[in-house]
Amino acid sequence: MKRLTRGFGVVIGLVFVGVVDLGACSSERDPTPPPATRVADPSDVIDQGLMVALAQAKNFHHKAKVYMTDGNLTAATAAVRQILSLAFPRGAPEADDVRNDARALLAKLLMSQGQLDEATRTIDEGLAASQRESFFVANLYTVQGELHEARAVAFDAAGESGKAPAGDERRQAISSYDRSIQINERLQKKLLEER
Amino acid sequence: MATQDDDTLTGSVPDPDTEPAPAELAHARRFAELVDKTLSGRTPPAMSADDRALLEAATVIRATHGSVELAPSKQRQVVEDALRQAIGAPAPSRGAAVPIARARARRWVPWIVAGTSTLVAAAAVAMLWLRGPAGTGHAGPVARRAEVPPEWTSRPADSLVGPIARDHAGDASARIDAIFADRLDGFRARRLARGGKP
């Protein structure tokens, strides 16, 4: 009886080992590593949710433009901020692009109001949240360079004591512009190859 | 026609001190040959009733003297029958001797087969489940990629916008207009192709 029970246990064990092996085999058959950057899933077609989100972003941008024309930078900033909280369809690449573009504009608006720290934070958050390289990410680096330049100017205004930090800011500005240029070059090359 | 051989057992018993008749000697020799053949496994298919009775008697006498051993299967059957009686189990059929342990094991065989089949089926289902996402991740989108035009898909706007010059870093409004218009074209084209269905 004991021998029989032991045999039955062995059979169950072997079957479960087989299941685990099958699982391992199935995962081994798919050796593709997870992508470092997320690209559009071809099955993600443009749907109503995406169009609504894009239309909302478009309206907020126009609203901000009107406020800017009117000189109301605070209201324009608030309008652009609302773009960042729009709900896009999950995984839509346009969401990254639209948000990064809004962050670039928001940073410029904040910079024009003298809020350099807030502008820097806006850019940093955008860069951290980006899933892939794009012209919009390159634009964020461009605005980041402008921010460093603005800081350098501010340090220059402080006199002799601000010379060293101003130099640092200018070097960082150059670094940011370089990164922007590199991303643009890579993407242009990639787009040319795809054509 | 009755012969002298036929009434060996039914005829009168001769005096033990008398000399054997030639017929008796001949019968004794023939019977000895018959016994030898039987012991060597070459029993004649036909024989007289008296010879058969004598042969059985000779076989029993030989067995009682310990000259004959039971075949291993017969020995097992005898032991198993004895053990079975000891535990009060019903007597088995006379066809084949089945050891008690094996008989108990046989009761488990259907359960083992059923259990193993269930586990194998579960393994197959698990395999399909584990491989399901990979399968749909490969064949599905590839098939759909061929069906869905790129302009109908949600995708990065890089090719539409191009590199953003520093002077136009803040022109997000113009870019969102371009993106919206392009995606609206794709959305409408897809909707028209589907007969107005979203």
Side-chain angles (χ1 to χ4, degrees), chain B residues 23-69:
Chain B
E24 286 177 318
L25 289 172
H27 185 258
R29 274 196 299 273
R30 195 172 53 77
F31 184 71
E33 287 173 6
L34 185 61
V35 170
D36 290 340
K37 282 180 182 176
T38 301
L39 293 177
S40 62
R42 295 181 289 121
T43 309
M47 64 182 77
S48 68
D50 287 350
D51 282 350
R52 186 175 297 282
L54 285 171
L55 194 59
E56 282 179 6
T59 307
V60 170
I61 290 166
R62 185 170 178 273
T64 56
H65 279 265
S67 306
V68 174
E69 284 187 2

Short mmCIF file of all heavy atoms in Angstrom, two decimals, chain B residues 23-69:
data_model
loop_
_atom_site.label_atom_id
_atom_site.label_comp_id
_atom_site.label_asym_id
_atom_site.label_seq_id
_atom_site.Cartn_x
_atom_site.Cartn_y
_atom_site.Cartn_z
N ALA B 23 1.82 -63.34 -20.05
CA ALA B 23 0.91 -62.22 -20.36
C ALA B 23 1.00 -61.14 -19.29
O ALA B 23 0.96 -59.93 -19.58
CB ALA B 23 -0.52 -62.75 -20.46
N GLU B 24 1.15 -61.61 -18.02
CA GLU B 24 1.26 -60.62 -16.94
C GLU B 24 2.56 -59.83 -17.07
O GLU B 24 2.61 -58.61 -16.86
CB GLU B 24 1.23 -61.34 -15.58
CG GLU B 24 -0.15 -61.83 -15.17
CD GLU B 24 -0.09 -62.60 -13.85
OE1 GLU B 24 0.83 -63.39 -13.66
OE2 GLU B 24 -0.97 -62.34 -13.02
N LEU B 25 3.64 -60.52 -17.40
CA LEU B 25 4.93 -59.84 -17.57
C LEU B 25 4.87 -58.81 -18.72
O LEU B 25 5.37 -57.69 -18.60
CB LEU B 25 6.03 -60.87 -17.85
CG LEU B 25 6.42 -61.76 -16.65
CD1 LEU B 25 7.38 -62.88 -17.09
CD2 LEU B 25 7.10 -60.93 -15.56
N ALA B 26 4.24 -59.25 -19.80
CA ALA B 26 4.11 -58.33 -20.95
C ALA B 26 3.29 -57.11 -20.57
O ALA B 26 3.62 -55.96 -20.91
CB ALA B 26 3.47 -59.07 -22.12
N HIS B 27 2.19 -57.36 -19.80
CA HIS B 27 1.35 -56.24 -19.38
C HIS B 27 2.13 -55.30 -18.44
O HIS B 27 2.01 -54.06 -18.50
CB HIS B 27 0.10 -56.78 -18.68
CG HIS B 27 -0.86 -55.71 -18.32
ND1 HIS B 27 -0.99 -55.23 -17.05
CD2 HIS B 27 -1.76 -54.99 -19.07
CE1 HIS B 27 -1.88 -54.29 -17.01
NE2 HIS B 27 -2.39 -54.14 -18.25
N ALA B 28 2.92 -55.92 -17.54
CA ALA B 28 3.71 -55.11 -16.61
C ALA B 28 4.72 -54.23 -17.35
O ALA B 28 4.91 -53.05 -17.04
CB ALA B 28 4.43 -56.03 -15.62
N ARG B 29 5.37 -54.82 -18.38
CA ARG B 29 6.35 -54.02 -19.16
C ARG B 29 5.66 -52.86 -19.89
O ARG B 29 6.16 -51.73 -19.91
CB ARG B 29 7.03 -54.96 -20.17
CG ARG B 29 8.25 -55.70 -19.62
CD ARG B 29 9.11 -56.27 -20.76
NE ARG B 29 8.36 -57.21 -21.56
CZ ARG B 29 8.24 -58.52 -21.29
NH1 ARG B 29 8.80 -59.03 -20.19
NH2 ARG B 29 7.55 -59.32 -22.09
N ARG B 30 4.50 -53.18 -20.47
CA ARG B 30 3.79 -52.14 -21.22
C ARG B 30 3.34 -51.02 -20.28
O ARG B 30 3.43 -49.85 -20.60
CB ARG B 30 2.58 -52.79 -21.92
CG ARG B 30 1.96 -51.93 -23.02
CD ARG B 30 0.90 -52.73 -23.77
NE ARG B 30 -0.09 -53.31 -22.89
CZ ARG B 30 -1.08 -52.62 -22.34
NH1 ARG B 30 -1.20 -51.33 -22.57
NH2 ARG B 30 -1.95 -53.21 -21.55
N PHE B 31 2.88 -51.40 -19.08
CA PHE B 31 2.43 -50.39 -18.12
C PHE B 31 3.61 -49.55 -17.61
O PHE B 31 3.48 -48.33 -17.41
CB PHE B 31 1.72 -51.08 -16.94
CG PHE B 31 1.14 -50.11 -15.96
CD1 PHE B 31 0.03 -49.33 -16.28
CD2 PHE B 31 1.72 -49.93 -14.72
CE1 PHE B 31 -0.49 -48.42 -15.40
CE2 PHE B 31 1.20 -49.01 -13.82
CZ PHE B 31 0.10 -48.26 -14.15
N ALA B 32 4.78 -50.22 -17.44
CA ALA B 32 5.97 -49.49 -17.02
C ALA B 32 6.35 -48.42 -18.06
O ALA B 32 6.70 -47.28 -17.72
CB ALA B 32 7.12 -50.46 -16.81
N GLU B 33 6.25 -48.82 -19.32
CA GLU B 33 6.54 -47.85 -20.39
C GLU B 33 5.55 -46.68 -20.35
O GLU B 33 5.90 -45.52 -20.55
CB GLU B 33 6.45 -48.54 -21.76
CG GLU B 33 7.64 -49.47 -22.04
CD GLU B 33 7.45 -50.27 -23.32
OE1 GLU B 33 6.45 -50.00 -24.04
OE2 GLU B 33 8.28 -51.14 -23.57
N LEU B 34 4.28 -47.04 -20.07
CA LEU B 34 3.24 -45.99 -20.01
C LEU B 34 3.52 -45.00 -18.87
O LEU B 34 3.40 -43.77 -19.05
CB LEU B 34 1.87 -46.66 -19.80
CG LEU B 34 0.64 -45.75 -19.84
CD1 LEU B 34 0.51 -45.06 -21.20
CD2 LEU B 34 -0.62 -46.55 -19.53
N VAL B 35 3.92 -45.55 -17.74
CA VAL B 35 4.25 -44.67 -16.60
C VAL B 35 5.44 -43.78 -16.94
O VAL B 35 5.45 -42.56 -16.66
CB VAL B 35 4.53 -45.53 -15.34
CG1 VAL B 35 5.11 -44.66 -14.22
CG2 VAL B 35 3.27 -46.22 -14.86
N ASP B 36 6.48 -44.39 -17.56
CA ASP B 36 7.66 -43.59 -17.93
C ASP B 36 7.29 -42.44 -18.88
O ASP B 36 7.75 -41.30 -18.75
CB ASP B 36 8.70 -44.49 -18.59
CG ASP B 36 9.34 -45.44 -17.58
OD1 ASP B 36 9.26 -45.13 -16.34
OD2 ASP B 36 9.90 -46.45 -17.99
N LYS B 37 6.44 -42.79 -19.85
CA LYS B 37 6.02 -41.75 -20.81
C LYS B 37 5.25 -40.63 -20.09
O LYS B 37 5.43 -39.44 -20.38
CB LYS B 37 5.13 -42.37 -21.89
CG LYS B 37 5.90 -43.13 -22.96
CD LYS B 37 4.93 -43.71 -23.99
CE LYS B 37 5.68 -44.52 -25.04
NZ LYS B 37 4.78 -45.17 -25.98
N THR B 38 4.39 -41.05 -19.18
CA THR B 38 3.58 -40.04 -18.47
C THR B 38 4.47 -39.11 -17.63
O THR B 38 4.30 -37.88 -17.62
CB THR B 38 2.56 -40.72 -17.55
OG1 THR B 38 1.73 -41.56 -18.35
CG2 THR B 38 1.70 -39.71 -16.81
N LEU B 39 5.46 -39.70 -16.95
CA LEU B 39 6.35 -38.89 -16.12
C LEU B 39 7.22 -37.95 -16.96
O LEU B 39 7.62 -36.88 -16.49
CB LEU B 39 7.24 -39.80 -15.26
CG LEU B 39 6.50 -40.60 -14.18
CD1 LEU B 39 7.47 -41.52 -13.44
CD2 LEU B 39 5.83 -39.65 -13.20
N SER B 40 7.49 -38.38 -18.19
CA SER B 40 8.30 -37.51 -19.06
C SER B 40 7.43 -36.56 -19.87
O SER B 40 7.90 -35.88 -20.78
CB SER B 40 9.18 -38.35 -19.99
OG SER B 40 8.36 -39.14 -20.83
N GLY B 41 6.14 -36.54 -19.58
CA GLY B 41 5.25 -35.57 -20.24
C GLY B 41 4.76 -36.05 -21.59
O GLY B 41 4.32 -35.22 -22.40
N ARG B 42 4.84 -37.32 -21.90
CA ARG B 42 4.40 -37.83 -23.20
C ARG B 42 3.24 -38.80 -23.01
O ARG B 42 3.24 -39.91 -23.56
CB ARG B 42 5.57 -38.51 -23.92
CG ARG B 42 6.68 -37.56 -24.30
CD ARG B 42 7.81 -38.26 -25.03
NE ARG B 42 8.58 -39.12 -24.12
CZ ARG B 42 8.72 -40.43 -24.31
NH1 ARG B 42 8.15 -41.02 -25.33
NH2 ARG B 42 9.43 -41.14 -23.44
N THR B 43 2.25 -38.39 -22.26
CA THR B 43 1.11 -39.26 -21.97
C THR B 43 0.36 -39.58 -23.27
O THR B 43 0.02 -38.65 -24.01
CB THR B 43 0.15 -38.59 -20.98
OG1 THR B 43 0.89 -38.13 -19.86
CG2 THR B 43 -0.95 -39.55 -20.54
N PRO B 44 0.11 -40.84 -23.56
CA PRO B 44 -0.64 -41.17 -24.77
C PRO B 44 -2.05 -40.60 -24.70
O PRO B 44 -2.65 -40.56 -23.61
CB PRO B 44 -0.68 -42.70 -24.76
CG PRO B 44 0.37 -43.13 -23.83
CD PRO B 44 0.53 -42.04 -22.83
N PRO B 45 -2.57 -40.15 -25.81
CA PRO B 45 -3.89 -39.53 -25.77
C PRO B 45 -5.00 -40.54 -25.45
O PRO B 45 -6.03 -40.14 -24.91
CB PRO B 45 -4.06 -38.96 -27.18
CG PRO B 45 -3.10 -39.71 -28.03
CD PRO B 45 -1.98 -40.13 -27.17
N ALA B 46 -4.80 -41.79 -25.79
CA ALA B 46 -5.86 -42.80 -25.53
C ALA B 46 -5.27 -43.99 -24.79
O ALA B 46 -4.13 -44.40 -25.05
CB ALA B 46 -6.47 -43.26 -26.86
N MET B 47 -6.04 -44.46 -23.86
CA MET B 47 -5.63 -45.65 -23.11
C MET B 47 -6.90 -46.27 -22.50
O MET B 47 -7.94 -45.60 -22.42
CB MET B 47 -4.60 -45.31 -22.03
CG MET B 47 -5.12 -44.39 -20.95
SD MET B 47 -3.88 -43.97 -19.73
CE MET B 47 -2.92 -42.74 -20.60
N SER B 48 -6.74 -47.47 -22.07
CA SER B 48 -7.90 -48.16 -21.49
C SER B 48 -8.23 -47.58 -20.12
O SER B 48 -7.39 -46.93 -19.50
CB SER B 48 -7.61 -49.65 -21.36
OG SER B 48 -6.62 -49.84 -20.38
N ALA B 49 -9.44 -47.79 -19.69
CA ALA B 49 -9.89 -47.25 -18.41
C ALA B 49 -9.07 -47.83 -17.26
O ALA B 49 -8.72 -47.10 -16.32
CB ALA B 49 -11.37 -47.56 -18.22
N ASP B 50 -8.72 -49.11 -17.35
CA ASP B 50 -7.93 -49.72 -16.29
C ASP B 50 -6.55 -49.10 -16.24
O ASP B 50 -6.02 -48.79 -15.16
CB ASP B 50 -7.83 -51.23 -16.52
CG ASP B 50 -9.15 -51.94 -16.22
OD1 ASP B 50 -10.04 -51.26 -15.65
OD2 ASP B 50 -9.29 -53.12 -16.58
N ASP B 51 -5.97 -48.92 -17.43
CA ASP B 51 -4.63 -48.30 -17.47
C ASP B 51 -4.66 -46.88 -16.88
O ASP B 51 -3.76 -46.45 -16.17
CB ASP B 51 -4.12 -48.27 -18.90
CG ASP B 51 -3.59 -49.64 -19.34
OD1 ASP B 51 -3.45 -50.51 -18.45
OD2 ASP B 51 -3.30 -49.80 -20.53
N ARG B 52 -5.72 -46.16 -17.20
CA ARG B 52 -5.82 -44.77 -16.69
C ARG B 52 -5.92 -44.78 -15.17
O ARG B 52 -5.26 -43.99 -14.49
CB ARG B 52 -7.03 -44.07 -17.32
CG ARG B 52 -7.13 -42.60 -16.97
CD ARG B 52 -8.27 -41.94 -17.72
NE ARG B 52 -8.09 -41.97 -19.17
CZ ARG B 52 -7.28 -41.15 -19.83
NH1 ARG B 52 -6.60 -40.23 -19.18
NH2 ARG B 52 -7.16 -41.26 -21.14
N ALA B 53 -6.73 -45.71 -14.65
CA ALA B 53 -6.87 -45.78 -13.18
C ALA B 53 -5.55 -46.17 -12.54
O ALA B 53 -5.14 -45.59 -11.52
CB ALA B 53 -7.95 -46.81 -12.84
N LEU B 54 -4.87 -47.13 -13.14
CA LEU B 54 -3.59 -47.55 -12.59
C LEU B 54 -2.56 -46.41 -12.67
O LEU B 54 -1.76 -46.20 -11.77
CB LEU B 54 -3.06 -48.79 -13.35
CG LEU B 54 -3.76 -50.11 -13.01
CD1 LEU B 54 -3.31 -51.21 -13.99
CD2 LEU B 54 -3.41 -50.53 -11.58
N LEU B 55 -2.61 -45.71 -13.77
CA LEU B 55 -1.66 -44.59 -13.97
C LEU B 55 -1.89 -43.50 -12.91
O LEU B 55 -0.93 -42.95 -12.34
CB LEU B 55 -1.86 -44.01 -15.38
CG LEU B 55 -0.78 -43.08 -15.88
CD1 LEU B 55 0.57 -43.77 -15.91
CD2 LEU B 55 -1.13 -42.59 -17.28
N GLU B 56 -3.13 -43.19 -12.63
CA GLU B 56 -3.42 -42.20 -11.61
C GLU B 56 -2.94 -42.68 -10.24
O GLU B 56 -2.36 -41.89 -9.47
CB GLU B 56 -4.93 -41.92 -11.55
CG GLU B 56 -5.41 -41.01 -12.67
CD GLU B 56 -6.92 -40.75 -12.63
OE1 GLU B 56 -7.57 -41.18 -11.66
OE2 GLU B 56 -7.40 -40.10 -13.56
N ALA B 57 -3.16 -43.95 -9.98
CA ALA B 57 -2.69 -44.51 -8.70
C ALA B 57 -1.17 -44.42 -8.60
O ALA B 57 -0.62 -44.03 -7.56
CB ALA B 57 -3.15 -45.96 -8.57
N ALA B 58 -0.50 -44.73 -9.72
CA ALA B 58 0.96 -44.67 -9.72
C ALA B 58 1.44 -43.24 -9.50
O ALA B 58 2.40 -42.98 -8.76
CB ALA B 58 1.51 -45.21 -11.04
N THR B 59 0.77 -42.28 -10.11
CA THR B 59 1.15 -40.87 -9.97
C THR B 59 0.97 -40.40 -8.51
O THR B 59 1.83 -39.71 -7.96
CB THR B 59 0.28 -39.99 -10.91
OG1 THR B 59 0.37 -40.51 -12.22
CG2 THR B 59 0.75 -38.55 -10.90
N VAL B 60 -0.15 -40.79 -7.90
CA VAL B 60 -0.40 -40.41 -6.50
C VAL B 60 0.65 -41.02 -5.60
O VAL B 60 1.18 -40.36 -4.69
CB VAL B 60 -1.83 -40.84 -6.10
CG1 VAL B 60 -2.03 -40.69 -4.59
CG2 VAL B 60 -2.86 -40.02 -6.85
N ILE B 61 0.96 -42.31 -5.82
CA ILE B 61 1.96 -42.98 -4.98
C ILE B 61 3.31 -42.26 -5.09
O ILE B 61 3.99 -41.99 -4.12
CB ILE B 61 2.10 -44.46 -5.40
CG1 ILE B 61 0.82 -45.22 -5.00
CG2 ILE B 61 3.31 -45.11 -4.75
CD1 ILE B 61 0.70 -46.58 -5.65
N ARG B 62 3.65 -41.89 -6.32
CA ARG B 62 4.94 -41.23 -6.53
C ARG B 62 4.96 -39.85 -5.83
O ARG B 62 5.94 -39.47 -5.20
CB ARG B 62 5.19 -41.04 -8.03
CG ARG B 62 6.53 -40.48 -8.37
CD ARG B 62 6.78 -40.55 -9.86
NE ARG B 62 8.06 -39.96 -10.19
CZ ARG B 62 8.24 -38.69 -10.43
NH1 ARG B 62 7.22 -37.88 -10.41
NH2 ARG B 62 9.44 -38.23 -10.71
N ALA B 63 3.82 -39.14 -5.93
CA ALA B 63 3.76 -37.82 -5.31
C ALA B 63 3.87 -37.92 -3.79
O ALA B 63 4.52 -37.09 -3.15
CB ALA B 63 2.46 -37.12 -5.71
N THR B 64 3.22 -38.93 -3.21
CA THR B 64 3.28 -39.06 -1.76
C THR B 64 4.67 -39.43 -1.27
O THR B 64 5.00 -39.19 -0.11
CB THR B 64 2.29 -40.15 -1.27
OG1 THR B 64 2.60 -41.36 -1.97
CG2 THR B 64 0.86 -39.75 -1.53
N HIS B 65 5.47 -39.95 -2.15
CA HIS B 65 6.86 -40.25 -1.76
C HIS B 65 7.77 -39.03 -1.90
O HIS B 65 8.97 -39.14 -1.68
CB HIS B 65 7.40 -41.41 -2.62
CG HIS B 65 6.95 -42.75 -2.13
ND1 HIS B 65 7.69 -43.54 -1.29
CD2 HIS B 65 5.80 -43.43 -2.33
CE1 HIS B 65 7.02 -44.65 -1.01
NE2 HIS B 65 5.86 -44.62 -1.64
N GLY B 66 7.18 -37.90 -2.29
CA GLY B 66 8.00 -36.67 -2.37
C GLY B 66 8.81 -36.56 -3.63
O GLY B 66 9.70 -35.71 -3.73
N SER B 67 8.52 -37.37 -4.59
CA SER B 67 9.30 -37.32 -5.82
C SER B 67 8.81 -36.24 -6.77
O SER B 67 9.47 -35.93 -7.75
CB SER B 67 9.22 -38.67 -6.54
OG SER B 67 9.61 -39.69 -5.65
N VAL B 68 7.63 -35.67 -6.47
CA VAL B 68 7.06 -34.67 -7.38
C VAL B 68 6.96 -33.33 -6.65
O VAL B 68 6.53 -33.28 -5.51
CB VAL B 68 5.67 -35.12 -7.87
CG1 VAL B 68 5.01 -34.03 -8.69
CG2 VAL B 68 5.80 -36.38 -8.70
N GLU B 69 7.40 -32.25 -7.31
CA GLU B 69 7.26 -30.90 -6.75
C GLU B 69 6.21 -30.14 -7.53
O GLU B 69 6.10 -30.29 -8.75
CB GLU B 69 8.59 -30.15 -6.85
CG GLU B 69 9.60 -30.61 -5.81
CD GLU B 69 10.84 -29.75 -5.81
OE1 GLU B 69 10.88 -28.78 -6.61
OE2 GLU B 69 11.75 -30.04 -5.04
#
